[in-house]
Amino acid sequence: MKKSLSIFTLLLLMAATVQAQEKKPDWMRWHYLSEEEMNDKSRGMNFVETDPPTGEPRFVAEFEPMQGVMIRYPLGIPESLVAQLSNNCHVYCIVSSSYQNAAQNDFQNAGVNMSNLTFVNAPSDSYWVRDYGPWYIFEDRHPAIVDNIYNRPRPNDDNMSGVFANFWNIPMYGMRLEHTGGNMMEDGRGHGVSDDLVFQENLEDYGIDEATVRQKMNDYLGINPYHVTIDPQGDYIAHVDCWGKYLAPDKILIAQLPQSNPRYQYYEQVAEYFETTNCCWGYPYRVYRVQEPGGYTLAPYTNSLILNKTVYVPLGSNNTYNNDALAVYQEAMPGYEIIGVVNNTWNGWENTDALHCRTRGVMDFDMLFVDHRDVLHGEQAWQDSIPVVSKFIAYSGENLKQDSLLVYYSIDGGTYQVAHMTATGNPDEYVGYIKGYQGESEIDYYVFGADESGHRYTQPVFADLDPHHFTMEAHEPSGELIITPETLRIDEANQEVSFYIINETEEDVVIERFDADYEFGNNKYLEINYDVLLPYTLTPGSTLEVTVGLGTVPILPKGYVEAKISITTSLGVRTVIVEVLDTAIDCGLYTAETTYLMDESSPSVVAGVTNGNTGTNTPIEITSITEDENPTGVPYLIIEPSYELPYSLSAGEHFLINLSVNTNNAKDEFVETKVRVHSSQNMVTFSILIDGNLVSVTEHSAETKLYPNPTTGQFTVEGANVAKVEVFNLVGQKVYEAEGQSVSIDATDWNKGIYLVNIVERNGAVNTKKLVVK
């Protein structure tokens, strides 16, 4: 009997061991699935892994500009909400072909703006488009999609990233991680939040450890740091949007339960984490709490949708909690329209599945991104003026409006002032200065930008309703007249720089005049601007801003040009040094040489002009080339420009003009004529001195030929009187020489451009012709 019992016990143990080795589905984790789906192990069957983006990825936040919103039909949201969404932005509705007519009829009957709706034909398995929809990113300045393995065995849903990559015709990158949209929120500046379901699923299903998860999130999405918390809700779904939400880069909404609720401590643990963790702007998150009663009372408030300047909040079953939740949103997001949304359809809201789960925003591919990363906060060390540095990225590809890159600031609650921002020299980066404050001043500010496509944006997005804020430390006036900074530097043509005159004395100071000592004689290449009439009285504690920009310079300096601005005041003369980079200066059309001699050694010359607009890169159109009128009525010169006129000359480009003597006009003495190059910006003049003896030197056989000209390779010089042929480039180097009456030359390997061909005849006469090699 004991032996039989032992065998039976052994069999039970063996069976238990086999069962333990067989991985069973997590039934709670697979809520909403059929039993067949629960046993389905085909997750990610069509997933294709790729290398990460080669450019810098930026995972766009939900609160950034959206061109549209994705939904799925049959719907998971009320038709009345679709109508509201269609009046906010474009609606992209995923629908199979067999359902499209029904969807169209339903939407028309519900008052949907059909001109703002596009059907995307694709099969789908569910309406949780938040979870399986594409993750939109910018790769550098271009839109792209990142695909992951959807953590549900629903192949049609899991294919949706590819559907939309084809729909938009944009790249898609395959990130081999099991993930879901409901468990991912991001701030648009590299910070992301999920709960630890992401670690659990990837380790259990694919053996991917935490370090690898974090690395992939960084490589494909640019997420670092990645805040992975516990799931305070402790429910089957373990999605972050069921308990938390980014409202801005520095604002997070987190649900709060009554202290009597057993999950209370876990919500508080997560809230405390963010209250003590720095946001991307360098200070702890501002955590807003929305009250939920707990239990089975419906209160899905964090599962909301932010769409441009509107927040759609799913409402629960208790009006008191509903109203309080809407008030929290309004407090946290001033200037936004907060709309409560009821869902009385058969598939109404749930605490673990509401409006956010069933929609997904589509980022504006042409948005303007204002990225002022080094936000001023807390107490700042004293400076006479404080810089605000921001990047402006116009994803539309259009130019920024240089006069619309601004810092708005208010000192001690006063009226907002405006500081124009100028380029720093770093890519996409601009700086503006806050000034005029005192020690211990309280300063509010925000950054604004606009581009030529019509896009505008501010940081913070709430502008003056909830600006950035800092305090200037205490400061004792020096008792002196302060000039700051004392050295300015200009690196770009459109750049303006400023210095400030600060009266820290106890008496009025009179600013009498400004004088500039230019290094290059009287050539004016600086423009000094100020918003007062001189002489101007600067009262104690007040500041005068003086702006310095560039004018047009008729000479081309090299490297940094240094000028000194002298400021004459009632307390004496003060100076400011301005360093200007030569490539920032526009010189217009200019030439290195203005006088040319034509004699027996040089019967023809090549003159040249250059577009000196290297600062603004502005092209100059050369319209005509003329010679001063000869009293005989016949020109002294034959003028051959290198290109047909009119010609648009790019910045830094050279334009060559071949000048040779018209022998019918030569005299026995030197004559002078002028050649004038006319353009859309200015005129350049050459003086030409011609030796009359050239008439005998340039006589040559009429049978001398040079052909083909222009040439792409072979050309020939021939004539009965030809003795020798010499070819020179434009810097005077001889590139070819041969003797004979007929000379064939191969110029295939020569650099493209203009060459001078000296044809020496038997009597010693030299005929110089221009050859163009293409």
Side-chain angles (χ1 to χ4, degrees), residues 604-606 657-659 706 725-736 750 753-759 767-772:
S604 63
V605 296
V606 177
I657 307 162
N658 192 63
L659 304 171
L706 187 160
V725 176
E726 300 172 324
V727 184
F728 297 84
N729 62 23
L730 290 182
V731 295
Q733 297 171 325
K734 185 184 290 186
V735 298
Y736 188 86
W750 294 8
I754 298 174
Y755 293 81
L756 301 180
V757 180
N758 283 352
I759 303 171
N767 176 23
T768 301
K769 293 192 176 186
K770 179 186 69 174
L771 171 74
V772 178

PDB file of all heavy atoms in Angstrom, residues 604-606 657-659 706 725-736 750 753-759 767-772:
ATOM      1  N   SER A 604      44.720  91.124 -75.433  1.00  0.00           N
ATOM      2  CA  SER A 604      43.367  90.926 -74.906  1.00  0.00           C
ATOM      3  C   SER A 604      43.496  90.606 -73.419  1.00  0.00           C
ATOM      4  O   SER A 604      44.533  90.121 -72.970  1.00  0.00           O
ATOM      5  CB  SER A 604      42.628  89.796 -75.637  1.00  0.00           C
ATOM      6  OG  SER A 604      43.285  88.572 -75.431  1.00  0.00           O
ATOM      7  N   VAL A 605      42.456  90.922 -72.699  1.00  0.00           N
ATOM      8  CA  VAL A 605      42.467  90.670 -71.266  1.00  0.00           C
ATOM      9  C   VAL A 605      41.147  90.022 -70.863  1.00  0.00           C
ATOM     10  O   VAL A 605      40.154  90.116 -71.592  1.00  0.00           O
ATOM     11  CB  VAL A 605      42.670  91.971 -70.443  1.00  0.00           C
ATOM     12  CG1 VAL A 605      44.017  92.590 -70.720  1.00  0.00           C
ATOM     13  CG2 VAL A 605      41.552  92.955 -70.723  1.00  0.00           C
ATOM     14  N   VAL A 606      41.183  89.381 -69.706  1.00  0.00           N
ATOM     15  CA  VAL A 606      39.965  88.818 -69.143  1.00  0.00           C
ATOM     16  C   VAL A 606      39.676  89.549 -67.838  1.00  0.00           C
ATOM     17  O   VAL A 606      40.469  89.489 -66.892  1.00  0.00           O
ATOM     18  CB  VAL A 606      40.093  87.300 -68.884  1.00  0.00           C
ATOM     19  CG1 VAL A 606      38.821  86.767 -68.220  1.00  0.00           C
ATOM     20  CG2 VAL A 606      40.351  86.573 -70.187  1.00  0.00           C
ATOM     21  N   ILE A 657      34.751  88.254 -68.297  1.00  0.00           N
ATOM     22  CA  ILE A 657      34.469  89.030 -69.504  1.00  0.00           C
ATOM     23  C   ILE A 657      35.749  89.101 -70.326  1.00  0.00           C
ATOM     24  O   ILE A 657      36.777  89.616 -69.854  1.00  0.00           O
ATOM     25  CB  ILE A 657      34.000  90.458 -69.151  1.00  0.00           C
ATOM     26  CG1 ILE A 657      32.829  90.405 -68.157  1.00  0.00           C
ATOM     27  CG2 ILE A 657      33.617  91.214 -70.407  1.00  0.00           C
ATOM     28  CD1 ILE A 657      32.598  91.715 -67.452  1.00  0.00           C
ATOM     29  N   ASN A 658      35.730  88.577 -71.557  1.00  0.00           N
ATOM     30  CA  ASN A 658      36.894  88.626 -72.436  1.00  0.00           C
ATOM     31  C   ASN A 658      36.845  89.934 -73.233  1.00  0.00           C
ATOM     32  O   ASN A 658      35.838  90.248 -73.893  1.00  0.00           O
ATOM     33  CB  ASN A 658      36.897  87.427 -73.387  1.00  0.00           C
ATOM     34  CG  ASN A 658      38.221  87.290 -74.109  1.00  0.00           C
ATOM     35  OD1 ASN A 658      39.244  87.073 -73.481  1.00  0.00           O
ATOM     36  ND2 ASN A 658      38.178  87.432 -75.427  1.00  0.00           N
ATOM     37  N   LEU A 659      37.900  90.711 -73.130  1.00  0.00           N
ATOM     38  CA  LEU A 659      37.986  92.011 -73.791  1.00  0.00           C
ATOM     39  C   LEU A 659      39.148  91.993 -74.781  1.00  0.00           C
ATOM     40  O   LEU A 659      40.289  91.682 -74.413  1.00  0.00           O
ATOM     41  CB  LEU A 659      38.201  93.133 -72.770  1.00  0.00           C
ATOM     42  CG  LEU A 659      37.145  93.229 -71.651  1.00  0.00           C
ATOM     43  CD1 LEU A 659      37.599  94.228 -70.590  1.00  0.00           C
ATOM     44  CD2 LEU A 659      35.805  93.636 -72.229  1.00  0.00           C
ATOM     45  N   LEU A 706      39.603  78.663 -85.327  1.00  0.00           N
ATOM     46  CA  LEU A 706      39.616  77.870 -84.088  1.00  0.00           C
ATOM     47  C   LEU A 706      38.218  77.247 -83.976  1.00  0.00           C
ATOM     48  O   LEU A 706      37.227  77.983 -83.852  1.00  0.00           O
ATOM     49  CB  LEU A 706      39.939  78.743 -82.871  1.00  0.00           C
ATOM     50  CG  LEU A 706      40.162  78.026 -81.530  1.00  0.00           C
ATOM     51  CD1 LEU A 706      40.939  78.950 -80.586  1.00  0.00           C
ATOM     52  CD2 LEU A 706      38.856  77.627 -80.859  1.00  0.00           C
ATOM     53  N   VAL A 725      50.958  77.493 -81.604  1.00  0.00           N
ATOM     54  CA  VAL A 725      49.737  77.674 -80.801  1.00  0.00           C
ATOM     55  C   VAL A 725      50.102  77.488 -79.332  1.00  0.00           C
ATOM     56  O   VAL A 725      50.746  76.491 -78.969  1.00  0.00           O
ATOM     57  CB  VAL A 725      48.631  76.680 -81.195  1.00  0.00           C
ATOM     58  CG1 VAL A 725      47.417  76.827 -80.266  1.00  0.00           C
ATOM     59  CG2 VAL A 725      48.229  76.887 -82.644  1.00  0.00           C
ATOM     60  N   GLU A 726      49.712  78.453 -78.490  1.00  0.00           N
ATOM     61  CA  GLU A 726      49.912  78.359 -77.047  1.00  0.00           C
ATOM     62  C   GLU A 726      48.553  78.536 -76.354  1.00  0.00           C
ATOM     63  O   GLU A 726      47.772  79.409 -76.735  1.00  0.00           O
ATOM     64  CB  GLU A 726      50.863  79.436 -76.539  1.00  0.00           C
ATOM     65  CG  GLU A 726      52.250  79.380 -77.156  1.00  0.00           C
ATOM     66  CD  GLU A 726      53.073  80.587 -76.763  1.00  0.00           C
ATOM     67  OE1 GLU A 726      52.484  81.683 -76.657  1.00  0.00           O
ATOM     68  OE2 GLU A 726      54.282  80.421 -76.562  1.00  0.00           O
ATOM     69  N   VAL A 727      48.326  77.697 -75.332  1.00  0.00           N
ATOM     70  CA  VAL A 727      47.057  77.798 -74.600  1.00  0.00           C
ATOM     71  C   VAL A 727      47.370  78.064 -73.129  1.00  0.00           C
ATOM     72  O   VAL A 727      48.198  77.366 -72.524  1.00  0.00           O
ATOM     73  CB  VAL A 727      46.220  76.504 -74.732  1.00  0.00           C
ATOM     74  CG1 VAL A 727      44.855  76.683 -74.033  1.00  0.00           C
ATOM     75  CG2 VAL A 727      46.005  76.147 -76.207  1.00  0.00           C
ATOM     76  N   PHE A 728      46.693  79.078 -72.567  1.00  0.00           N
ATOM     77  CA  PHE A 728      46.890  79.468 -71.164  1.00  0.00           C
ATOM     78  C   PHE A 728      45.545  79.395 -70.424  1.00  0.00           C
ATOM     79  O   PHE A 728      44.490  79.700 -71.010  1.00  0.00           O
ATOM     80  CB  PHE A 728      47.432  80.901 -71.060  1.00  0.00           C
ATOM     81  CG  PHE A 728      48.779  81.096 -71.687  1.00  0.00           C
ATOM     82  CD1 PHE A 728      48.902  81.338 -73.054  1.00  0.00           C
ATOM     83  CD2 PHE A 728      49.930  81.032 -70.911  1.00  0.00           C
ATOM     84  CE1 PHE A 728      50.145  81.518 -73.629  1.00  0.00           C
ATOM     85  CE2 PHE A 728      51.183  81.210 -71.486  1.00  0.00           C
ATOM     86  CZ  PHE A 728      51.298  81.450 -72.839  1.00  0.00           C
ATOM     87  N   ASN A 729      45.623  79.022 -69.143  1.00  0.00           N
ATOM     88  CA  ASN A 729      44.410  79.168 -68.329  1.00  0.00           C
ATOM     89  C   ASN A 729      44.339  80.597 -67.794  1.00  0.00           C
ATOM     90  O   ASN A 729      45.241  81.407 -68.049  1.00  0.00           O
ATOM     91  CB  ASN A 729      44.345  78.134 -67.209  1.00  0.00           C
ATOM     92  CG  ASN A 729      45.495  78.246 -66.223  1.00  0.00           C
ATOM     93  OD1 ASN A 729      46.117  79.317 -66.087  1.00  0.00           O
ATOM     94  ND2 ASN A 729      45.825  77.146 -65.552  1.00  0.00           N
ATOM     95  N   LEU A 730      43.288  80.889 -67.045  1.00  0.00           N
ATOM     96  CA  LEU A 730      43.055  82.278 -66.650  1.00  0.00           C
ATOM     97  C   LEU A 730      43.973  82.779 -65.549  1.00  0.00           C
ATOM     98  O   LEU A 730      43.931  83.958 -65.194  1.00  0.00           O
ATOM     99  CB  LEU A 730      41.589  82.459 -66.232  1.00  0.00           C
ATOM    100  CG  LEU A 730      40.581  82.365 -67.385  1.00  0.00           C
ATOM    101  CD1 LEU A 730      39.182  82.601 -66.881  1.00  0.00           C
ATOM    102  CD2 LEU A 730      40.918  83.360 -68.485  1.00  0.00           C
ATOM    103  N   VAL A 731      44.769  81.880 -64.969  1.00  0.00           N
ATOM    104  CA  VAL A 731      45.745  82.350 -63.985  1.00  0.00           C
ATOM    105  C   VAL A 731      47.138  82.448 -64.600  1.00  0.00           C
ATOM    106  O   VAL A 731      48.120  82.608 -63.892  1.00  0.00           O
ATOM    107  CB  VAL A 731      45.759  81.434 -62.731  1.00  0.00           C
ATOM    108  CG1 VAL A 731      44.445  81.505 -62.018  1.00  0.00           C
ATOM    109  CG2 VAL A 731      46.131  79.998 -63.101  1.00  0.00           C
ATOM    110  N   GLY A 732      47.205  82.346 -65.962  1.00  0.00           N
ATOM    111  CA  GLY A 732      48.459  82.569 -66.666  1.00  0.00           C
ATOM    112  C   GLY A 732      49.335  81.347 -66.841  1.00  0.00           C
ATOM    113  O   GLY A 732      50.463  81.460 -67.333  1.00  0.00           O
ATOM    114  N   GLN A 733      48.855  80.169 -66.477  1.00  0.00           N
ATOM    115  CA  GLN A 733      49.654  78.956 -66.637  1.00  0.00           C
ATOM    116  C   GLN A 733      49.480  78.398 -68.050  1.00  0.00           C
ATOM    117  O   GLN A 733      48.351  78.275 -68.540  1.00  0.00           O
ATOM    118  CB  GLN A 733      49.223  77.910 -65.607  1.00  0.00           C
ATOM    119  CG  GLN A 733      49.441  78.337 -64.164  1.00  0.00           C
ATOM    120  CD  GLN A 733      48.800  77.379 -63.180  1.00  0.00           C
ATOM    121  OE1 GLN A 733      47.744  76.821 -63.450  1.00  0.00           O
ATOM    122  NE2 GLN A 733      49.443  77.192 -62.038  1.00  0.00           N
ATOM    123  N   LYS A 734      50.605  78.075 -68.686  1.00  0.00           N
ATOM    124  CA  LYS A 734      50.542  77.483 -70.021  1.00  0.00           C
ATOM    125  C   LYS A 734      50.174  76.003 -69.887  1.00  0.00           C
ATOM    126  O   LYS A 734      50.843  75.244 -69.195  1.00  0.00           O
ATOM    127  CB  LYS A 734      51.884  77.623 -70.739  1.00  0.00           C
ATOM    128  CG  LYS A 734      51.855  77.129 -72.192  1.00  0.00           C
ATOM    129  CD  LYS A 734      53.238  77.193 -72.841  1.00  0.00           C
ATOM    130  CE  LYS A 734      53.653  78.640 -73.071  1.00  0.00           C
ATOM    131  NZ  LYS A 734      54.936  78.706 -73.830  1.00  0.00           N
ATOM    132  N   VAL A 735      49.079  75.612 -70.541  1.00  0.00           N
ATOM    133  CA  VAL A 735      48.614  74.223 -70.435  1.00  0.00           C
ATOM    134  C   VAL A 735      48.881  73.435 -71.712  1.00  0.00           C
ATOM    135  O   VAL A 735      48.754  72.203 -71.711  1.00  0.00           O
ATOM    136  CB  VAL A 735      47.103  74.185 -70.108  1.00  0.00           C
ATOM    137  CG1 VAL A 735      46.820  74.836 -68.764  1.00  0.00           C
ATOM    138  CG2 VAL A 735      46.270  74.859 -71.198  1.00  0.00           C
ATOM    139  N   TYR A 736      49.269  74.151 -72.815  1.00  0.00           N
ATOM    140  CA  TYR A 736      49.529  73.424 -74.069  1.00  0.00           C
ATOM    141  C   TYR A 736      50.354  74.311 -74.995  1.00  0.00           C
ATOM    142  O   TYR A 736      50.212  75.542 -75.008  1.00  0.00           O
ATOM    143  CB  TYR A 736      48.208  73.051 -74.758  1.00  0.00           C
ATOM    144  CG  TYR A 736      48.394  72.140 -75.962  1.00  0.00           C
ATOM    145  CD1 TYR A 736      48.471  70.761 -75.809  1.00  0.00           C
ATOM    146  CD2 TYR A 736      48.512  72.681 -77.238  1.00  0.00           C
ATOM    147  CE1 TYR A 736      48.650  69.938 -76.911  1.00  0.00           C
ATOM    148  CE2 TYR A 736      48.709  71.867 -78.341  1.00  0.00           C
ATOM    149  CZ  TYR A 736      48.775  70.490 -78.163  1.00  0.00           C
ATOM    150  OH  TYR A 736      48.967  69.668 -79.240  1.00  0.00           O
ATOM    151  N   TRP A 750      40.812  68.525 -69.459  1.00  0.00           N
ATOM    152  CA  TRP A 750      41.007  69.860 -68.917  1.00  0.00           C
ATOM    153  C   TRP A 750      39.841  70.238 -68.021  1.00  0.00           C
ATOM    154  O   TRP A 750      38.707  69.752 -68.183  1.00  0.00           O
ATOM    155  CB  TRP A 750      41.117  70.904 -70.029  1.00  0.00           C
ATOM    156  CG  TRP A 750      42.341  70.752 -70.895  1.00  0.00           C
ATOM    157  CD1 TRP A 750      43.240  69.725 -70.881  1.00  0.00           C
ATOM    158  CD2 TRP A 750      42.762  71.649 -71.924  1.00  0.00           C
ATOM    159  NE1 TRP A 750      44.216  69.922 -71.827  1.00  0.00           N
ATOM    160  CE2 TRP A 750      43.949  71.098 -72.487  1.00  0.00           C
ATOM    161  CE3 TRP A 750      42.281  72.841 -72.425  1.00  0.00           C
ATOM    162  CZ2 TRP A 750      44.630  71.726 -73.522  1.00  0.00           C
ATOM    163  CZ3 TRP A 750      42.957  73.472 -73.461  1.00  0.00           C
ATOM    164  CH2 TRP A 750      44.125  72.915 -73.997  1.00  0.00           C
ATOM    165  N   GLY A 753      35.884  75.568 -68.307  1.00  0.00           N
ATOM    166  CA  GLY A 753      36.071  76.992 -68.092  1.00  0.00           C
ATOM    167  C   GLY A 753      36.588  77.682 -69.337  1.00  0.00           C
ATOM    168  O   GLY A 753      36.475  77.166 -70.460  1.00  0.00           O
ATOM    169  N   ILE A 754      37.188  78.846 -69.146  1.00  0.00           N
ATOM    170  CA  ILE A 754      37.657  79.684 -70.253  1.00  0.00           C
ATOM    171  C   ILE A 754      39.180  79.605 -70.336  1.00  0.00           C
ATOM    172  O   ILE A 754      39.876  79.677 -69.316  1.00  0.00           O
ATOM    173  CB  ILE A 754      37.201  81.136 -70.055  1.00  0.00           C
ATOM    174  CG1 ILE A 754      35.661  81.204 -70.055  1.00  0.00           C
ATOM    175  CG2 ILE A 754      37.775  82.050 -71.127  1.00  0.00           C
ATOM    176  CD1 ILE A 754      35.111  82.570 -69.727  1.00  0.00           C
ATOM    177  N   TYR A 755      39.695  79.462 -71.549  1.00  0.00           N
ATOM    178  CA  TYR A 755      41.132  79.426 -71.808  1.00  0.00           C
ATOM    179  C   TYR A 755      41.465  80.476 -72.877  1.00  0.00           C
ATOM    180  O   TYR A 755      40.607  80.851 -73.703  1.00  0.00           O
ATOM    181  CB  TYR A 755      41.576  78.042 -72.290  1.00  0.00           C
ATOM    182  CG  TYR A 755      41.447  76.978 -71.230  1.00  0.00           C
ATOM    183  CD1 TYR A 755      40.216  76.377 -70.979  1.00  0.00           C
ATOM    184  CD2 TYR A 755      42.535  76.585 -70.474  1.00  0.00           C
ATOM    185  CE1 TYR A 755      40.087  75.403 -69.994  1.00  0.00           C
ATOM    186  CE2 TYR A 755      42.420  75.621 -69.491  1.00  0.00           C
ATOM    187  CZ  TYR A 755      41.189  75.033 -69.263  1.00  0.00           C
ATOM    188  OH  TYR A 755      41.071  74.069 -68.282  1.00  0.00           O
ATOM    189  N   LEU A 756      42.707  80.972 -72.861  1.00  0.00           N
ATOM    190  CA  LEU A 756      43.194  81.944 -73.846  1.00  0.00           C
ATOM    191  C   LEU A 756      44.146  81.230 -74.801  1.00  0.00           C
ATOM    192  O   LEU A 756      45.132  80.621 -74.369  1.00  0.00           O
ATOM    193  CB  LEU A 756      43.891  83.109 -73.162  1.00  0.00           C
ATOM    194  CG  LEU A 756      43.023  83.901 -72.161  1.00  0.00           C
ATOM    195  CD1 LEU A 756      43.826  85.019 -71.546  1.00  0.00           C
ATOM    196  CD2 LEU A 756      41.767  84.436 -72.834  1.00  0.00           C
ATOM    197  N   VAL A 757      43.829  81.319 -76.091  1.00  0.00           N
ATOM    198  CA  VAL A 757      44.634  80.648 -77.118  1.00  0.00           C
ATOM    199  C   VAL A 757      45.423  81.715 -77.879  1.00  0.00           C
ATOM    200  O   VAL A 757      44.830  82.567 -78.573  1.00  0.00           O
ATOM    201  CB  VAL A 757      43.733  79.838 -78.074  1.00  0.00           C
ATOM    202  CG1 VAL A 757      44.593  79.144 -79.130  1.00  0.00           C
ATOM    203  CG2 VAL A 757      42.881  78.842 -77.295  1.00  0.00           C
ATOM    204  N   ASN A 758      46.757  81.704 -77.727  1.00  0.00           N
ATOM    205  CA  ASN A 758      47.630  82.611 -78.485  1.00  0.00           C
ATOM    206  C   ASN A 758      48.007  81.937 -79.797  1.00  0.00           C
ATOM    207  O   ASN A 758      48.656  80.879 -79.801  1.00  0.00           O
ATOM    208  CB  ASN A 758      48.893  82.945 -77.700  1.00  0.00           C
ATOM    209  CG  ASN A 758      48.640  83.970 -76.621  1.00  0.00           C
ATOM    210  OD1 ASN A 758      47.554  84.543 -76.557  1.00  0.00           O
ATOM    211  ND2 ASN A 758      49.640  84.219 -75.787  1.00  0.00           N
ATOM    212  N   ILE A 759      47.615  82.539 -80.906  1.00  0.00           N
ATOM    213  CA  ILE A 759      47.953  82.017 -82.234  1.00  0.00           C
ATOM    214  C   ILE A 759      49.073  82.906 -82.789  1.00  0.00           C
ATOM    215  O   ILE A 759      48.849  84.083 -83.123  1.00  0.00           O
ATOM    216  CB  ILE A 759      46.724  82.033 -83.165  1.00  0.00           C
ATOM    217  CG1 ILE A 759      45.583  81.231 -82.531  1.00  0.00           C
ATOM    218  CG2 ILE A 759      47.089  81.488 -84.542  1.00  0.00           C
ATOM    219  CD1 ILE A 759      44.263  81.369 -83.261  1.00  0.00           C
ATOM    220  N   ASN A 767      47.620  86.595 -82.300  1.00  0.00           N
ATOM    221  CA  ASN A 767      46.162  86.746 -82.219  1.00  0.00           C
ATOM    222  C   ASN A 767      45.684  85.907 -81.042  1.00  0.00           C
ATOM    223  O   ASN A 767      45.912  84.695 -81.011  1.00  0.00           O
ATOM    224  CB  ASN A 767      45.507  86.265 -83.516  1.00  0.00           C
ATOM    225  CG  ASN A 767      43.994  86.303 -83.434  1.00  0.00           C
ATOM    226  OD1 ASN A 767      43.430  87.047 -82.641  1.00  0.00           O
ATOM    227  ND2 ASN A 767      43.348  85.466 -84.256  1.00  0.00           N
ATOM    228  N   THR A 768      45.061  86.552 -80.041  1.00  0.00           N
ATOM    229  CA  THR A 768      44.571  85.833 -78.858  1.00  0.00           C
ATOM    230  C   THR A 768      43.062  85.637 -78.957  1.00  0.00           C
ATOM    231  O   THR A 768      42.318  86.603 -79.168  1.00  0.00           O
ATOM    232  CB  THR A 768      44.903  86.602 -77.580  1.00  0.00           C
ATOM    233  OG1 THR A 768      46.315  86.776 -77.493  1.00  0.00           O
ATOM    234  CG2 THR A 768      44.407  85.838 -76.344  1.00  0.00           C
ATOM    235  N   LYS A 769      42.657  84.384 -78.829  1.00  0.00           N
ATOM    236  CA  LYS A 769      41.233  84.060 -78.865  1.00  0.00           C
ATOM    237  C   LYS A 769      40.822  83.359 -77.579  1.00  0.00           C
ATOM    238  O   LYS A 769      41.624  82.691 -76.936  1.00  0.00           O
ATOM    239  CB  LYS A 769      40.914  83.165 -80.066  1.00  0.00           C
ATOM    240  CG  LYS A 769      41.101  83.849 -81.405  1.00  0.00           C
ATOM    241  CD  LYS A 769      40.494  83.019 -82.543  1.00  0.00           C
ATOM    242  CE  LYS A 769      40.594  83.771 -83.870  1.00  0.00           C
ATOM    243  NZ  LYS A 769      39.889  83.035 -84.951  1.00  0.00           N
ATOM    244  N   LYS A 770      39.555  83.529 -77.252  1.00  0.00           N
ATOM    245  CA  LYS A 770      38.989  82.872 -76.068  1.00  0.00           C
ATOM    246  C   LYS A 770      38.408  81.529 -76.479  1.00  0.00           C
ATOM    247  O   LYS A 770      37.704  81.414 -77.476  1.00  0.00           O
ATOM    248  CB  LYS A 770      37.896  83.750 -75.448  1.00  0.00           C
ATOM    249  CG  LYS A 770      37.244  83.137 -74.225  1.00  0.00           C
ATOM    250  CD  LYS A 770      36.082  83.973 -73.732  1.00  0.00           C
ATOM    251  CE  LYS A 770      34.930  83.905 -74.718  1.00  0.00           C
ATOM    252  NZ  LYS A 770      33.722  84.599 -74.213  1.00  0.00           N
ATOM    253  N   LEU A 771      38.721  80.494 -75.683  1.00  0.00           N
ATOM    254  CA  LEU A 771      38.172  79.154 -75.903  1.00  0.00           C
ATOM    255  C   LEU A 771      37.360  78.750 -74.671  1.00  0.00           C
ATOM    256  O   LEU A 771      37.837  78.902 -73.538  1.00  0.00           O
ATOM    257  CB  LEU A 771      39.305  78.147 -76.133  1.00  0.00           C
ATOM    258  CG  LEU A 771      38.872  76.662 -76.163  1.00  0.00           C
ATOM    259  CD1 LEU A 771      38.145  76.350 -77.464  1.00  0.00           C
ATOM    260  CD2 LEU A 771      40.104  75.757 -76.015  1.00  0.00           C
ATOM    261  N   VAL A 772      36.172  78.245 -74.904  1.00  0.00           N
ATOM    262  CA  VAL A 772      35.329  77.774 -73.802  1.00  0.00           C
ATOM    263  C   VAL A 772      35.291  76.253 -73.832  1.00  0.00           C
ATOM    264  O   VAL A 772      34.911  75.652 -74.845  1.00  0.00           O
ATOM    265  CB  VAL A 772      33.896  78.337 -73.891  1.00  0.00           C
ATOM    266  CG1 VAL A 772      33.036  77.783 -72.751  1.00  0.00           C
ATOM    267  CG2 VAL A 772      33.918  79.858 -73.853  1.00  0.00           C
TER     268      VAL A 772
END
